[in-house]
């Protein structure tokens, strides 16, 4: 504990001329590099001195070369596009369905009574649990991937849309009554804007889950896509291919999430202007 | 003596049961009127028979036991490491700046993509599965523990300073209790992810037994009854884990309502 100082919000103004200002973006950026570089160096040394055989741990340079090669031959871009197309199609199908069901259950208590228990039952079993059954019903073609990814996106979007709409405070609604809004004005100007943050949360979860489901289904039942590249590389003990594909999987996951975060900021700004 | 709320409750139950009942009726009718060939499609009764058969010969329980043992081992390991790492990152700005960005980058790699790599490094047996499960449980716990510690209200810290608490006392008496709801949210997520990961690991690393193997086995032989049974078990375990987590959560956080401030 002696070297760990408890860094808690300081009660006094920060002293000027301190060596490190934690919130300084340059400081943060500079400090983010030593650790990954150290890992890279350890990896390089482990491969260089053959502490581990190359099938188990290919040197970093080899992974980089393989990555460039796979880009040039088109193998990586081709598989990447297939994966992206699948995730987009599944996310759109599942997302639109989820939005529709969420809106229906959020606005109509009767519909909620009829549909919610069944929805909970289906949602209780994770997407990956449905996979064997779906494989039996629709085979291992494109339909399987799209259905599974749709289901993964559908559940969080439907759930959060429903909860968000249901949670709109009655106070808001009373204000709208005072203003004598029509039913449509009430929905468009009050209910939906108020529920938007939670609906958007659901959409973000939906995309994350869709990407998870895509990788899972491509690892288990596919002959193309990023997940297939990982499995195929693993079978041939070409760990450089596996690592290159894993890096791309991480990069895409990161980009998708960032994209939605940026859109969210836009949406919320629009919301502030709306009031 | 039925009150209006009882009638409303009853109506809700009837409405909720309508759709499942309708689906079951179609399923039953499909057999009764012989609309399908029965190679893959099984009658409802057959699923129950299979459940009884696999329960009696112990296969179901051995599979479930193996899966749960793996699940809990990986969950315990991953969430413990995650908890320790989350505290370290929460308390030290230096450590957060050094390791945080890398952690957030690695977190983005879709969970299942790790399995092939882990299988090369740790083989195809239980070790690899538990390593993978720990990884699945680690991320939600480390992130939520860190967030929880960072969002401790300043007033509480000041009170601790007034009492001249040592750093360790501050951590035990002030910081951790205040961060507990967030930490628990992470643990709860870790439970869910570990169960997901258990299935994924058993699908991909097919050695040994488990619920995932029971499902894979049923699919390969086109035994729809066994697959449906597996799905019911998966859902039930997820439900039970959720229930347990929610119970413990509400019990542990009960003190928050009535702060007695006793030492």
């Amino acid at each position: 504990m002696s070297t760990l100082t408890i860094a808690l919000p300081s009660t006094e103004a920060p002293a000027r001329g301190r060596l490190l200002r934690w919130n300084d973006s340059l400081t943060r950026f500079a400090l983010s590099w030593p650790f990954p570089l150290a890992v890279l160096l350890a990896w390089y040394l482990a491969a260089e001195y053959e502490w581990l055989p190359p099938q188990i741990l290919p040197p970093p340079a080899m992974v980089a070369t393989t990555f460039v090669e796979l880009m040039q031959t088109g193998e990586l871009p081709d598989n990447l596009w297939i994966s992206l197309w699948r995730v987009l199609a599944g996310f759109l199908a599942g997302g639109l369905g989820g939005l529709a069901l969420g809106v229906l259950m959020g606005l109509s208590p009767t519909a909620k009574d009829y549909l919610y228990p069944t929805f909970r039952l289906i949602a209780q079993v994770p997407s990956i649990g449905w996979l064997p059954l779906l494989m039996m019903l629709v085979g291992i073609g494109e339909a399987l991937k799209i259905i599974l990814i749709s289901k993964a996106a559908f559940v969080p979007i439907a759930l959060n849309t429903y909860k968000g709409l249901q949670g709109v405070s009655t106070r808001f609604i009373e204000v709208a009554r005072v203003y004598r809004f029509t039913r449509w004005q009430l929905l468009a100007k009050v209910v939906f804007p108020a529920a938007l943050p939670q609906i958007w949360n659901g959409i973000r979860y939906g995309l994350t889950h869709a990407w998870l489901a895509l990788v899972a289904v491509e690892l288990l039942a596919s002959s193309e896509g990023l997940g297939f590249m990982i499995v195929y590389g693993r079978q041939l003990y070409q760990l450089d291919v596996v690592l290159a594909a894993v890096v791309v999987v991480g990069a895409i996951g990161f980009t998708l999430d960032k994209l939605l975060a940026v859109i969210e900021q836009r949406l919320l700004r629009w919301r502030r202007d709306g009031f | 003596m039925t009150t209006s709320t009882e009638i409303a409750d009853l109506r809700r139950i009837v409405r909720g049961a309508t759709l499942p009942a309708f689906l079951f009726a179609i399923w039953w009718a499909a057999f009764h009127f012989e609309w399908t060939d029965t190679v893959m499609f099984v009658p409802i009764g057959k699923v129950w028979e299979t459940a009884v058969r696999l329960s009696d010969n112990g296969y179901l329980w051995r599979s479930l036991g193996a899966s749960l043992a793996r699940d809990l081992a990986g969950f315990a390991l991953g969430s413990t490491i995650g908890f320790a790492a989350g505290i370290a990152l929460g308390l030290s700005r230096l450590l957060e700046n050094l390791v945080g960005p890398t952690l957030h980058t690695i977190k983005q790699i879709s969970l299942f993509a790790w399995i092939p790599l882990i299988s090369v490094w740790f083989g195809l047996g239980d070790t690899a599965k538990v390593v993978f499960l720990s990884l699945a449980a680690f991320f939600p716990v480390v992130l939520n523990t860190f967030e929880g510690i960072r969002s401790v209200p300043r007033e509480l810290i000041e009170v601790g300073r007034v009492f001249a608490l040592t750093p360790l006392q501050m951590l035990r008496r002030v910081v951790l209790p205040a961060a507990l709801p967030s930490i628990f949210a992470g643990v709860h997520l870790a439970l869910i992810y570990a169960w997901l990961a258990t299935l994924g690991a058993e699908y991909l690393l097919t050695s040994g037994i488990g619920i995932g193997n029971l499902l894979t086995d049923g699919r390969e032989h086109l035994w729809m009854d066994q697959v449906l049974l597996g799905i019911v078990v998966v859902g039930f375990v997820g439900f039970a884990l959720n229930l347990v987590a929610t119970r413990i959560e509400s019990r542990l956080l009960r003190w928050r309502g009535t702060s007695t401030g006793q030492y």
Side-chain angles (χ1 to χ4, degrees):
Chain A
M1 274 310 278
S2 58
T3 53
L4 267 187
T5 48
I6 294 207
L8 298 159
S10 158
T11 45
E12 62 256 24
R16 295 172 67 110
R18 260 178 61 183
L19 198 60
L20 285 171
R21 285 200 202 83
W22 297 120
N23 292 331
D24 188 77
S25 59
L26 194 66
T27 309
R28 294 179 80 97
F29 181 75
L31 282 173
S32 67
W33 286 101
F35 181 70
L37 288 175
V39 172
L40 209 62
L41 182 70
W43 175 10
Y44 166 79
L45 290 173
E48 181 73 10
Y49 292 104
E50 300 221 349
W51 295 332
L52 292 164
Q55 291 97 339
I56 304 283
L57 193 70
M62 185 169 156
V63 176
T65 317
T66 304
F67 179 83
V68 173
E69 267 174 25
L70 290 171
M71 287 303 278
Q72 282 167 344
T73 57
E75 197 177 333
L76 194 52
D78 289 352
N79 284 304
L80 172 61
W81 287 125
I82 290 167
S83 291
L84 278 178
W85 183 85
R86 279 174 184 163
V87 96
L88 192 69
F91 173 70
L92 281 178
L96 290 172
L99 274 175
L101 182 69
V103 168
L104 187 65
M105 292 195 305
L107 298 182
S108 156
T110 312
K112 183 232 143 184
D113 283 351
Y114 276 107
L115 298 170
Y116 191 67
T118 309
F119 169 75
R120 283 304 313 207
L121 273 178
I122 292 171
Q124 189 61 60
V125 179
S127 304
I128 197 163
W130 292 107
L131 187 64
L133 180 68
L134 282 172
M135 280 161 113
M136 285 169 80
L137 293 176
V138 301
I140 56 168
E142 208 58 28
L144 171 78
K145 283 99 178 170
I146 306 295
I147 293 172
L148 199 81
I149 295 164
S150 306
K151 193 266 170 191
F154 172 82
V155 171
I157 294 177
L159 192 66
N160 282 285
T161 304
Y162 155 64
K163 292 230 153 119
L165 288 171
Q166 215 204 16
V168 174
S169 152
T170 43
R171 241 183 344 175
F172 278 141
I173 293 182
E174 273 163 25
V175 168
R177 290 245 165 81
V178 171
Y179 281 108
R180 296 204 181 152
F181 280 180
T182 63
R183 198 177 163 74
W184 284 115
Q185 278 178 315
L186 181 72
L187 287 179
K189 291 210 192 311
V190 181
V191 177
F192 275 97
L196 192 64
Q198 184 155 9
I199 295 177
W200 193 257
N201 248 346
I203 289 174
R204 275 181 83 164
Y205 278 122
L207 191 56
T208 308
H209 284 209
W211 189 241
L212 258 174
L214 168 97
V215 173
V217 74
E218 281 187 349
L219 288 172
L220 285 159
S222 184
S223 50
E224 62 286 298
L226 288 170
F228 167 73
M229 272 183 84
I230 292 173
V231 170
Y232 166 85
R234 162 73 182 85
Q235 276 168 350
L236 299 178
Y237 270 96
Q238 295 178 332
L239 236 61
D240 49 334
V241 175
V242 176
L243 285 164
V246 166
V247 167
V248 174
V249 166
I252 300 291
F254 183 77
T255 312
L256 290 176
D257 200 51
K258 267 275 178 287
L259 201 66
L260 288 190
V262 169
I263 297 174
E264 181 174 11
Q265 280 179 335
R266 284 274 161 101
L267 279 176
L268 291 179
R269 198 182 310 147
W270 162 83
R271 252 181 89 239
R272 281 203 201 95
D273 293 346
F275 281 116
Chain B
M1 180 78 194
T2 52
T3 59
S4 60
T5 52
E6 275 173 357
I7 292 174
D9 281 347
L10 191 68
R11 194 175 60 185
R12 194 169 301 137
I13 290 166
V14 169
R15 284 176 168 181
T18 305
L19 188 56
F22 178 68
L23 293 172
F24 273 109
I26 290 181
W27 189 356
W28 178 83
F31 280 93
H32 192 75
F33 300 110
E34 293 176 357
W35 295 336
T36 62
D37 55 346
T38 52
V39 174
M40 224 161 57
F41 209 62
V42 294
I44 303 172
K46 184 103 194 303
V47 180
W48 177 248
E49 279 167 32
T50 304
V52 172
R53 183 170 51 84
L54 295 182
S55 165
D56 285 348
N57 71 14
Y59 177 57
L60 178 61
W61 303 113
R62 278 200 309 278
S63 302
L64 185 58
S67 283
L68 284 178
R70 250 173 234 138
D71 181 33
L72 294 176
F75 165 76
L77 189 65
S79 48
T80 307
I81 298 171
F83 180 62
I87 290 178
L89 288 175
L91 295 183
S92 161
R93 300 259 167 190
L94 177 64
L95 210 58
E96 181 213 337
N97 278 299
L98 282 174
V99 182
T102 309
L103 197 67
H104 281 288
T105 311
I106 294 176
K107 180 194 81 174
Q108 295 293 346
I109 295 172
S110 188
L111 199 53
F112 299 107
W114 287 104
I115 298 182
L117 279 175
I118 287 173
S119 74
V120 172
W121 296 332
F122 296 92
L124 300 168
D126 263 333
T127 313
K129 287 176 196 167
V130 171
V131 168
F132 174 63
L133 294 180
S134 322
L135 193 70
F138 168 80
F139 284 111
V141 176
V142 72
L143 294 169
N144 279 282
T145 303
F146 168 74
E147 293 287 332
I149 288 180
R150 277 299 152 86
S151 56
V152 173
R154 186 180 293 196
E155 297 82 5
L156 281 181
I157 306 301
E158 282 174 15
V159 169
R161 288 226 174 93
V162 169
F163 280 108
L165 298 180
T166 63
L168 206 58
Q169 281 177 318
M170 187 82 106
L171 184 67
R172 270 200 45 214
R173 305 236 180 260
V174 181
V175 178
L176 283 184
L180 204 56
S182 179
I183 293 171
F184 228 96
V187 170
H188 197 149
L189 271 177
L191 261 180
I192 298 169
Y193 274 106
W195 182 234
L196 264 179
T198 303
L199 273 188
E202 288 169 356
Y203 286 165
L204 278 158
L205 312 171
T206 47
S207 70
I209 59 167
I211 292 293
N213 305 78
L214 184 144
L215 278 158
T216 309
D217 197 39
R219 178 181 58 79
E220 279 170 358
H221 294 96
L222 298 182
W223 295 331
M224 183 68 95
D225 45 344
Q226 187 167 316
V227 171
L228 287 170
L229 173 67
I231 288 177
V232 171
V233 172
V234 167
F236 188 77
V237 171
F239 177 74
L241 289 173
N242 248 328
L243 199 68
V244 168
T246 316
R247 281 280 158 83
I248 294 175
E249 209 161 346
S250 58
R251 183 153 301 186
L252 275 185
L253 300 179
R254 196 178 294 163
W255 58 269
R256 291 178 56 82
T258 54
S259 175
T260 50
Q262 54 181 328
Y263 270 63

